[in-house]
């Protein structure tokens, strides 16, 4: 990062703040001279337009900076009190004005205050509303492109969206949710032009009857559609094909309707240019939070993995060598005034290819060896998904929701592997079948009390079949093996119910308690075989035939106290477990009891300055895999084994944070500290050789993590720009055993710094520039190393009249520990679009990886050594495309 950057930034921000030389101060009190906190104070012009805005603090004081001169009105509003106004005449000679407001009580109920300044950002209650047209440069194609321009919103590389530091729950269109946490398929495909507003819903409740009752810190996005696009079908079709390059293509189409009677969103796409227009399938299939329910994250995970490695540091399209196809339809239909049904269907096919070479060094005690691997990987994925949700409003205070989810998938992975010069082929087939049924009934009474009755059942089957043509594990087994295979049968069922009460008190304190029962049952059978031309064996200790039952009878309670601008919540969760682990040889049972306490507080020092913290103790029952007492094959050369008994892990965490933000989110600054202490934890005892690895779980005490983060975001209104500064530091200590070393202490430290500047000029030229640097250090008894990696980028946008757009994307990657000829990697992409007949037709030409960089090398450090990995990249191509927009 340039040494002069931070001083220049400081001067810039200082200059901006010094422009506001006039300050209006004062106090707001009641007739009994008691200070009135959280009263809104507005400076208005003669036309009743709001120019500046603030809130009173706990002492009833306020302070507003302004650059305006002339005659104005200062207006004070507070629920339960009469509105009061005073004149304010600002001249050049006087730089400070003091006012006092004495408010009389009123029985009139005020509506939510709407802050509507001549500004693209508006606030109404917990909703921030951004004018979509104001934040559009005219170059955006889909919703995701527009969201990147909006202050406070961050779109991650994988399509996940965050507002400030919180990942959003969902993206809705005119109040209706189409894809739950799988919203990427909407934001990556829906055109941005029909949008009127982008609304950020803070303190969001997934259940509408919980609004105003529960204490929620969730955030959701709502996209409002311009009136011109309602009650009509519209969409687009795009076709692209490669020029002077191998067979490259991209085809996509969207058809949608957002009327009051029904809403439909249909999208289709296929491409082999590395573009992901779907996002995380797991987020769509399993993270169904639209219905308040139980048993979160209960689905099975793969025991074996065979994945083509890709460089995480790069943008996904540079390493994704694919042939993908998908179609999805989501429809929302209000059948009657009380009944609404949503149906979502998805069908996807994907072929992925990955090619990489790796070199690794392992150094632990007297053990030292080097390995080389060459992988040529391909994957064939087929996946289907159906989700049906029925919402029935029994009355204004009662609601019944029924959700059904079915997902089926099949993945065939192949790898042409060369390990230390020995070539072999390996194959892994994974099938997945998941069915999930949820029923939730909600009843609200006296406007402040709610009970939710929840029930859920799901079943998940995840069989896997692995084989490899050559045996690579050296002398781990005495049998003279030529090849091996491993068959896995893995199934799980879940059933549970819960009664959840939320009781809001007259003083706005909140009492919560839940009682429930969850029953999990998982069975696992593995058959690991070694064979040659004449014989097949099943090694003892490497076969599994077991079942695991976990029953959890629990009660949870919490209380939230509120005093003016201070809030503190205490919570306790009591769990009585009934564990059972059964194999062919034995049966074990255990009935542990534990309590998880937690406390958190929030102090609104002012309405825009928040100090908060939390502390919790958390016990967890270890998983089936961690209990299992036989070795499970996890890759071509590695096994893992569980503890062989039940155990509870526990840790403690503490967090402190302070944030400052503008009331319309023009700037935000946050600072956080966190600490975690592991009292009882699982770690690994490993036996590593050049050709094989055996790992087993052991129970120890120890390990901790601490860190801090700094995040800031500035919307520079006069410069039409977003400026983002981030930094974080973390340090962790963990323990493990390697090759009879005894307990080894390992220290990991990481620093990260990031700066970005994105412009939103209403002119021909715009840019997005940024730099991110990471410093990591690993220290263990036998090994110590550190490395510095960096990324800098510059995206340039140039618009010639209203028809021709040109975009240039440049990226520079730096890896400090590689040899000089491998440290620096530079990429250049160019794209030009030309609009015909307004914007009905758009012609495009896109050039990817114009320097035609073939490989990308990274450097990584572990506690037992280091590795370098070289990845094959998507080669250079030119894609000529045409898009047609239509309405019916």
């Amino acid at each position: 990062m340039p040494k002069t950057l931070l001083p220049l930034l400081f001067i810039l921000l200082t200059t901006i703040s010094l422009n506001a030389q006039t300050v209006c101060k004062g106090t707001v009190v009641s007739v009994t001279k008691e200070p009135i906190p959280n009263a809104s104070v507005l400076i208005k012009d003669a036309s009743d337009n709001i120019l500046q805005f603030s809130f009173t603090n706990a002492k009833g004081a306020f302070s507003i900076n302004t650059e305006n001169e002339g005659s104005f009105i200062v207006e004070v509003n507070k629920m339960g009190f009469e509105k009061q106004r005073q004149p304010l005449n600002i001249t050049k000679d006087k730089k400070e004005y003091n006012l006092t407001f004495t408010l009389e009580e009123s029985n009139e109920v005020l509506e939510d205050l709407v802050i509507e300044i001549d500004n693209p950002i508006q606030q109404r209650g917990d909703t921030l509303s951004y004018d979509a047209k104001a934040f559009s440069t005219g170059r955006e194609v889909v919703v995701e492109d527009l969201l990147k321009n909006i202050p406070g919103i961050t779109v991650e590389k994988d399509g996940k969206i965050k507002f400030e530091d919180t990942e959003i729950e969902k993206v809705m269109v005119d109040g209706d949710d189409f894809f739950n946490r799988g919203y990427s398929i909407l934001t990556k495909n829906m055109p941005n032009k029909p949008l009127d507003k982008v609304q950020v819903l803070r303190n969001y409740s997934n259940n509408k009857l919980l609004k105003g009752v529960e204490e929620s810190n969730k955030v959701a996005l709502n996209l409002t559609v311009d009136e011109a696009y309602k009650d009509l079908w519209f969409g687009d079709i795009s076709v692209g094909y490669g020029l002077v390059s191998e067979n490259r293509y991209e085809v996509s189409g969207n058809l949608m309707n957002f009327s009051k009677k029904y809403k439909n969103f249909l999208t289709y796409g296929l491409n082999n240019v590395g573009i992901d227009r779907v996002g995380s399938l797991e987020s769509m299939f399993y993270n169904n939070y639209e219905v308040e329910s139980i048993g979160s994250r209960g689905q099975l995970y793969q025991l074996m993995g065979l994945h083509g490695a890709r460089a995480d540091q790069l943008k996904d399209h540079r390493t994704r060598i694919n042939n993908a196809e998908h179609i999805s339809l989501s429809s929302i239909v209000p059948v009657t005034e009380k009944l609404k049904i949503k149906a979502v269907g998805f069908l996807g096919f994907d072929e992925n290819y990955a090619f990489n070479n790796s070199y690794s060094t392992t150094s632990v005690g007297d053990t030292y060896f080097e390995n080389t691997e060459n992988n040529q990987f391909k994957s064939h994925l087929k996946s289907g998904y159906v989700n049906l949700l029925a919402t029935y409003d029994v009355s204004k205070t009662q609601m019944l929701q029924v959700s059904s989810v079915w997902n089926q998938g099949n993945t065939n992975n192949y790898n042409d592997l060369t390990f230390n010069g020995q070539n072999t082929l390996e194959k892994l087939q994974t099938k997945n079948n998941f069915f999930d049924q949820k029923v939730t009934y909600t009843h609200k009474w006296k406007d402040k009390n709610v009970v939710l009755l929840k029930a859920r059942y799901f079943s998940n089957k995840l069989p896997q079949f692995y084989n490899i043509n050559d045996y690579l594990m050296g002398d781990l087994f005495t049998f003279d093996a030529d090849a091996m295979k491993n068959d896995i049968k893995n199934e799980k069922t879940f059933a549970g119910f819960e009664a959840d009460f939320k009781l809001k008190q007259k003083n706005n304190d909140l009492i919560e308690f839940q009682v429930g029962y969850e029953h999990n049952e998982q069975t696992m059978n593995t058959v690991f075989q070694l064979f040659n031309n004449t014989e097949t064996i099943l090694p003892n200790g490497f076969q599994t035939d077991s079942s695991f039952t976990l029953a959890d009878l629990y009660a949870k309670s919490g209380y939230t106290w509120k005093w003016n601008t201070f809030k503190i919540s205490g919570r306790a969760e009591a769990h009585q477990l009934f564990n059972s682990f059964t194999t062919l040889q034995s049966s074990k049972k255990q009935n542990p009891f534990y309590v998880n306490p937690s406390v958190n507080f929030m102090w609104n020092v002012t309405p825009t300055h928040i100090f908060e913290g939390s502390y919790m103790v958390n016990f967890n029952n270890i998983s089936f895999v961690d209990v299992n007492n036989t070795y499970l094959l996890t890759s071509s050369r590695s096994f893992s084994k569980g503890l062989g008994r039940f155990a509870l892990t526990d840790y403690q965490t503490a967090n402190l944070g302070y944030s400052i933000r503008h009331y319309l989110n023009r700037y935000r600054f946050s600072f956080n500290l966190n600490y975690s202490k592991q009292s009882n934890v699982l770690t690994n005892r490993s036996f590593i050789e050049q050709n094989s690895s055996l790992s087993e779980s052991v129970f120890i005490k120890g390990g901790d993590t601490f860190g801090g983060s700094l995040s800031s975001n500035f919307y520079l209104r006069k410069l039409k720009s977003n400026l983002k500064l981030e930094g974080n530091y973390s340090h962790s200590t963990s323990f493990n055993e390697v090759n009879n070393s005894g307990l080894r202490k390992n220290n990991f430290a990481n620093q990260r710094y990031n700066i970005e500047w994105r412009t939103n000029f209403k002119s021909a030229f715009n840019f997005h520039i940024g730099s991110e640097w990471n410093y990591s250090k690993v220290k263990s008894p036998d090994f110590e190393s550190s490395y510095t990696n960096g990324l800098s980028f510059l995206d340039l946008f140039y618009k010639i009249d209203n028809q021709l757009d040109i975009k240039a994307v440049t990226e520079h990657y730096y890896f400090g520990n590689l040899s000089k000829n491998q440290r620096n990697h530079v990429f250049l992409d160019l794209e030009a679009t030309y609009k015909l007949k307004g914007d009905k037709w758009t012609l495009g030409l896109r050039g990817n990886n114009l320097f035609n960089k073939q490989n990308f090398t990274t450097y990584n450090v572990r506690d037992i050594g280091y590795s370098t990995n070289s990845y094959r990249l998507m080669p250079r191509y030119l894609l000529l495309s045409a898009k047609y927009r239509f309405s019916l």
Side-chain angles (χ1 to χ4, degrees):
M1 185 181 295
K3 293 182 179 180
T4 57
L5 183 58
L6 291 178
L8 287 174
L9 178 63
F10 176 77
I11 293 171
L12 172 64
L13 297 178
T14 303
T15 304
I16 293 172
S17 65
L18 288 176
N19 286 335
Q21 295 292 324
T22 303
V23 60
C24 176
K25 297 181 177 180
T27 56
V28 180
V29 297
S30 66
V31 292
T32 59
K33 303 305 179 184
E34 294 290 327
I36 300 177
N38 292 333
S40 62
V41 185
L42 299 84
I43 297 180
K44 294 185 174 184
D45 62 15
S47 301
D48 210 36
N49 296 314
I50 300 175
L51 303 178
Q52 276 81 32
F53 178 87
S54 184
F55 293 95
T56 57
N57 61 19
K59 297 181 180 179
F62 66 89
S63 178
I64 304 176
N65 292 323
T66 181
E67 301 173 22
N68 299 293
E69 296 178 6
S71 298
F72 307 99
I73 296 294
V74 180
E75 180 181 295
V76 175
N77 295 274
K78 175 67 177 178
M79 187 174 293
F81 293 88
E82 297 283 355
K83 177 170 61 179
Q84 191 175 121
R85 305 174 68 158
Q86 291 189 27
L88 175 66
N89 294 311
I90 299 178
T91 62
K92 290 183 179 180
D93 301 330
K94 191 174 181 180
K95 297 303 178 183
E96 184 174 316
Y97 297 84
N98 289 279
L99 301 173
T100 300
F101 292 84
T102 302
L103 303 188
E104 297 182 357
E105 292 187 9
S106 170
N107 294 324
E108 184 179 348
V109 178
L110 295 178
E111 297 180 357
D112 284 342
L113 175 67
V114 182
I115 304 168
E116 295 187 3
I117 303 177
D118 183 17
N119 189 295
I121 310 173
Q122 302 175 3
Q123 178 177 323
R124 184 188 183 104
D126 292 330
T127 301
L128 271 178
S129 185
Y130 298 87
D131 188 332
K133 303 298 187 292
F135 287 95
S136 172
T137 62
R139 302 171 178 87
E140 300 79 13
V141 178
V142 295
V143 169
E144 186 177 87
D145 299 331
L146 176 68
L147 295 180
K148 293 176 181 179
N149 296 339
I150 293 180
I153 293 181
T154 302
V155 180
E156 304 286 349
K157 193 164 61 173
D158 60 0
K160 292 181 180 177
I161 301 171
K162 289 185 177 181
F163 178 71
E164 296 175 345
D165 300 324
T166 305
E167 183 180 346
I168 67 166
E169 293 288 304
K170 60 182 67 172
V171 176
M172 297 177 287
V173 179
D174 283 340
D176 283 311
D177 175 27
F178 284 85
F179 295 103
N180 311 313
R181 281 287 181 96
Y183 50 72
S184 291
I185 196 171
L186 176 78
T187 58
K188 289 177 178 290
N189 292 280
M190 181 179 173
N192 68 290
K193 187 177 179 180
L195 297 189
D196 178 38
K197 298 286 192 299
V198 175
Q199 296 178 331
V200 177
L201 312 180
R202 293 183 288 199
N203 303 321
Y204 178 76
S205 296
N206 283 304
N207 188 318
K208 62 185 179 182
L209 294 180
L210 293 179
K211 182 66 176 177
V213 177
E214 71 171 343
E215 295 291 328
S216 172
N217 58 3
K218 300 173 185 175
V219 178
L221 293 186
N222 182 48
L223 311 176
T224 67
V225 177
D226 192 280
E227 288 295 329
Y229 288 88
K230 292 184 178 180
D231 296 318
L232 61 84
W233 290 89
F234 64 93
D236 56 65
I237 299 173
S238 178
V239 178
Y241 194 78
L243 301 175
V244 295
S245 59
E246 63 179 283
N247 182 29
R248 296 290 172 193
Y249 57 84
E250 181 181 10
V251 178
S252 65
N254 300 290
L255 178 64
M256 62 208 78
N257 180 290
F258 305 113
S259 68
K260 294 180 180 179
K261 293 182 179 180
Y262 51 80
K263 293 183 175 72
N264 297 279
F265 183 80
L266 171 68
T267 181
Y268 170 79
L270 61 95
N271 78 90
N272 67 352
V273 292
I275 302 299
D276 177 18
R277 294 200 177 277
V278 175
S280 170
L281 293 179
E282 287 74 18
S283 295
M284 186 191 307
F285 298 163
Y286 304 117
N287 295 334
N288 184 358
Y289 297 135
E290 61 191 341
V291 177
E292 295 283 338
S293 191
I294 55 177
S296 62
R297 296 182 180 179
Q299 75 273 10
L300 291 173
Y301 294 95
Q302 297 182 16
L303 296 178
M304 284 201 69
L306 181 60
H307 305 288
R310 295 207 302 261
D312 293 335
Q313 296 88 341
L314 287 177
K315 290 182 178 179
D316 206 34
H317 74 275
R318 300 208 183 280
T319 57
R320 181 190 294 273
I321 303 173
N322 72 330
N323 186 1
E325 182 176 2
H326 78 272
I327 184 170
S328 178
L329 172 65
S330 182
S331 296
I332 300 173
V333 181
V335 181
T336 68
E337 289 186 359
K338 293 188 175 183
L339 177 62
K340 179 185 289 187
I341 293 178
K342 181 178 81 171
V344 182
F346 172 87
L347 185 62
F349 306 90
D350 199 1
E351 294 179 4
N352 275 280
Y353 303 85
F355 308 88
N356 70 284
N357 300 307
S358 69
Y359 166 80
S360 63
T361 296
T362 299
S363 178
V364 181
D366 296 329
T367 301
Y368 178 86
F369 57 83
E370 301 174 3
N371 283 332
T372 61
E373 283 191 29
N374 175 272
N375 295 275
Q376 299 182 45
F377 172 88
K378 64 178 179 179
S379 170
H380 298 271
L381 167 68
K382 300 177 183 178
S383 186
Y385 165 80
V386 175
N387 178 16
L388 296 174
L389 171 66
T391 301
Y392 181 69
D393 294 323
V394 181
S395 66
K396 291 183 178 180
T397 59
Q398 298 180 68
M399 181 174 65
L400 178 66
Q401 292 177 292
V402 180
S403 170
S404 297
V405 171
W406 175 77
N407 164 235
Q408 185 166 343
N410 184 40
T411 306
N412 289 302
N413 294 336
Y414 307 88
N415 187 29
D416 185 346
L417 168 66
T418 302
F419 174 70
N420 289 340
Q422 182 177 354
N423 181 254
T424 187
L425 296 173
E426 54 181 336
K427 175 184 177 181
L428 175 65
Q429 181 184 24
T430 302
K431 298 181 178 180
N432 182 36
N433 191 299
F434 179 76
F435 173 75
D436 189 5
Q437 182 71 52
K438 298 177 182 177
V439 179
T440 298
Y441 169 76
T442 308
H443 182 203
K444 187 175 186 178
W445 72 98
K446 294 185 179 179
D447 200 41
K448 291 188 176 182
N449 303 315
V450 177
V451 60
L452 298 95
L453 302 179
K454 313 169 188 176
R456 185 184 185 190
Y457 169 84
F458 73 74
S459 65
N460 196 184
K461 297 179 180 180
L462 193 65
Q464 295 184 280
F465 308 95
Y466 173 81
N467 62 70
I468 185 169
N469 288 357
D470 292 274
Y471 174 76
L472 300 177
M473 296 191 184
D475 57 0
L476 179 63
F477 297 99
T478 56
F479 179 73
D480 185 18
D482 293 333
M484 66 182 189
K485 64 182 298 187
N486 190 46
D487 294 340
I488 301 170
K489 181 181 179 182
N490 193 9
E491 300 181 357
K492 180 179 180 178
T493 58
F494 169 92
F497 62 87
E498 179 185 275
D500 183 358
F501 294 85
K502 302 181 188 297
L503 310 175
K504 200 72 171 273
Q505 306 302 294
K506 290 183 178 180
N507 58 359
N508 282 329
D509 289 356
L510 177 64
I511 300 174
E512 299 179 88
F513 61 92
Q514 299 91 30
V515 291
Y517 176 80
E518 297 180 357
H519 184 88
N520 296 268
E521 190 163 329
Q522 185 175 350
T523 59
M524 183 165 56
N525 176 274
T526 67
V527 180
F528 174 69
Q529 304 175 60
L530 300 173
F531 55 92
N532 55 30
N533 291 332
T534 60
E535 190 178 357
T536 299
I537 69 165
L538 281 71
N540 291 329
F542 292 81
Q543 316 298 320
T544 300
D545 190 356
S546 56
S547 64
F548 181 66
T549 301
L550 165 62
D552 183 3
L553 179 64
Y554 61 87
K556 306 175 184 180
S557 64
Y559 195 97
T560 301
W561 293 266
K562 291 184 177 180
W563 297 280
N564 293 324
T565 59
F566 187 80
K567 177 176 70 176
I568 185 169
S569 299
R571 187 170 178 83
E573 301 181 1
H575 296 262
Q576 175 62 64
L577 304 185
F578 303 92
N579 290 328
S580 173
F581 177 63
T582 304
T583 67
L584 294 176
Q585 294 78 28
S586 65
S587 178
K588 299 178 182 179
K589 294 185 177 181
Q590 186 188 51
N591 303 323
F593 175 82
Y594 63 89
V595 177
N596 288 336
S598 63
V599 63
N600 62 77
F601 73 88
M602 178 183 291
W603 178 27
N604 292 314
V605 182
T606 72
T608 56
H609 291 226
I610 298 175
F611 179 48
E612 57 188 333
S614 66
Y615 172 78
M616 68 179 297
V617 177
N618 193 284
F619 290 85
N620 279 306
N621 199 44
I622 63 175
S623 68
F624 186 5
V625 173
D626 293 324
V627 173
N628 184 58
N629 60 354
T630 59
Y631 282 105
L632 299 172
L633 184 68
T634 56
S635 73
S636 62
R637 297 181 295 105
S638 61
F639 294 89
S640 67
K641 183 172 73 170
L643 194 62
R645 61 183 176 86
F646 298 105
L648 290 176
T649 62
D650 66 283
Y651 62 90
Q652 305 173 56
T653 62
N655 297 277
L656 285 175
Y658 193 88
S659 64
I660 303 171
R661 63 176 177 84
H662 186 265
Y663 63 94
L664 291 181
N665 217 49
R666 289 183 193 160
Y667 61 79
R668 185 178 186 274
F669 169 88
S670 66
F671 177 70
N672 292 278
L673 295 173
N674 59 78
Y675 176 77
S676 174
K677 173 68 176 178
Q678 297 173 324
S679 301
N680 295 286
V681 64
L682 285 178
T683 190
N684 294 318
R685 178 186 292 131
S686 301
F687 301 92
I688 300 175
E689 297 179 345
Q690 184 168 20
N691 297 305
S692 64
S693 170
L694 295 178
S695 176
E696 58 184 48
S697 298
V698 293
F699 207 62
I700 66 167
K701 293 181 178 293
D704 60 8
T705 301
F706 62 86
S709 64
L710 180 68
S711 177
S712 59
N713 198 319
F714 302 89
Y715 172 54
L716 308 177
R717 187 183 178 192
K718 291 186 176 181
L719 296 178
K720 298 290 184 183
S721 303
N722 287 331
L723 180 65
K724 181 163 69 174
L725 298 169
E726 295 177 330
N728 57 55
Y729 171 82
S730 65
H731 183 278
S732 63
T733 302
S734 65
F735 300 86
N736 61 4
E737 294 185 33
V738 181
N739 293 356
N740 299 311
S741 64
L743 212 57
R744 304 167 69 244
K745 182 179 181 181
N746 306 300
N747 293 302
F748 303 86
N750 179 263
Q751 301 175 46
R752 173 182 169 271
Y753 306 96
N754 179 49
I755 180 170
E756 290 184 41
W757 185 6
R758 183 190 294 270
T759 65
N760 190 28
F761 304 144
K762 297 300 181 182
S763 63
F765 176 73
N766 275 280
F767 63 85
H768 180 204
I769 187 172
S771 186
E772 178 178 320
W773 291 87
N774 288 274
Y775 171 78
S776 296
K777 183 177 181 179
V778 178
K779 183 178 181 182
S780 66
D782 309 291
F783 185 81
E784 181 174 348
S785 184
S786 62
Y787 64 91
T788 300
N789 295 340
L791 161 65
S792 299
F793 63 87
L794 173 61
D795 301 342
L796 300 175
F797 309 89
Y798 192 74
K799 187 173 184 178
I800 302 174
D801 58 53
N802 291 320
Q803 293 179 296
L804 180 62
D805 276 329
I806 299 174
K807 174 183 176 181
V809 175
T810 60
E811 297 166 4
H812 172 248
Y813 296 86
Y814 173 83
F815 294 88
N817 284 49
L818 295 176
S819 58
K820 287 187 177 181
N821 64 332
Q822 293 182 318
R823 286 181 185 174
N824 297 284
H825 304 268
V826 180
F827 295 91
L828 171 65
D829 300 337
L830 289 175
E831 183 176 0
T833 60
Y834 186 79
K835 295 178 181 179
L836 300 171
K837 295 183 179 181
D839 62 354
K840 282 282 187 180
W841 286 92
T842 302
L843 300 179
L845 181 64
R846 182 167 80 240
N848 179 75
N849 189 13
L850 293 182
F851 296 145
N852 203 25
K853 191 164 186 63
Q854 301 290 320
N855 297 286
F856 181 81
T857 304
T858 64
Y859 180 89
N860 298 286
V861 176
R862 301 175 296 160
D863 64 291
I864 58 173
Y866 69 90
S867 65
T868 60
N869 294 274
S870 180
Y871 306 90
R872 187 186 299 182
L873 302 178
M874 174 69 75
R876 175 173 56 201
Y877 66 80
L878 293 175
L879 196 77
L880 179 65
S881 65
K883 173 178 283 190
Y884 175 68
R885 295 181 176 87
F886 61 88
S887 60
L888 304 176

